[in-house]
Amino acid sequence: MAHMEIRFSGSGGQGLLLSARILAAALARQGRHVAQSNAYEPVSRGGLSRSDLVISDGEAAFPLARRVDYLLILDAAAATVSTHLLHQGAVVLADAERVPDPPRGDFRTIALPFTETARGLGNPRVTNIVALGALCTLAAPCPAEALLDALLAMTPARFERLNRDAFAAGLAMAVQEPA
């Protein structure tokens, strides 16, 4: 992989920025070059939120996504704001519950039960971690072990078991998706 662009999108309070920082840290530890940018509305919860990662083997000098390879959508509010950045062959991962009408086009759209799975684990606040596991399987930006290490290093130890379970559930649900 010489270059990849990933956008995490949804609403404030869903942990999107944390997920992007975790992935960026894992990639940096793997020797990849990563530029990250964030944008969010000035409300702590509920406003539109996104984080872009531009990943490269060489310098990733521009932090804004211009041609998204993987778009993760966790809220209906973000369902259509990034479709102009998708190209043929791009993959959209949408939360099946919170994004009932995901974008359709000349790209692949996959609706997965991120929120439902997190709720089943006992805490819907780990929806972002479930989604991160699925993204890791489908996009393969780095080894799952490297991403798990970054996740555990960047989150409170008291949530280790829950984060491990959420990440594993995301990895497993994406394995079931046909290529």
Side-chain angles (χ1 to χ4, degrees), residues 43-84:
V43 293
S44 61
R45 297 207 182 278
L48 194 60
S49 175
R50 71 151 177 83
S51 187
D52 292 348
L53 293 182
V54 177
I55 307 155
S56 181
D57 289 333
E59 185 177 341
F62 192 69
L64 299 176
R66 294 182 280 191
R67 189 172 186 266
V68 173
D69 299 297
Y70 289 89
L71 173 61
L72 174 64
I73 307 172
L74 294 185
D75 191 86
T80 59
V81 294
S82 300
T83 54
H84 66 286

Side-chain angles (χ1 to χ4, degrees), residues 116-133:
E116 178 185 338
T117 301
R119 193 179 308 111
L121 292 170
N123 191 336
R125 293 194 53 126
V126 294
T127 297
N128 63 320
I129 305 303
V130 175
L132 189 60

Side-chain angles (χ1 to χ4, degrees), residues 123-168:
N123 191 336
R125 293 194 53 126
V126 294
T127 297
N128 63 320
I129 305 303
V130 175
L132 189 60
L135 178 67
C136 181
T137 296
L138 293 169
C142 65
E145 300 78 24
L147 190 50
L148 180 60
D149 288 346
L151 166 65
L152 297 178
M154 296 175 70
T155 56
R158 69 181 184 272
F159 298 119
E160 179 178 344
R161 174 55 35 212
L162 180 60
N163 282 327
R164 282 182 182 276
D165 291 347
F167 186 69

Side-chain angles (χ1 to χ4, degrees), residues 81-96:
V81 294
S82 300
T83 54
H84 66 286
L85 298 174
L86 296 168
H87 59 86
Q88 183 178 8
V91 177
V92 175
L93 301 175
D95 185 296

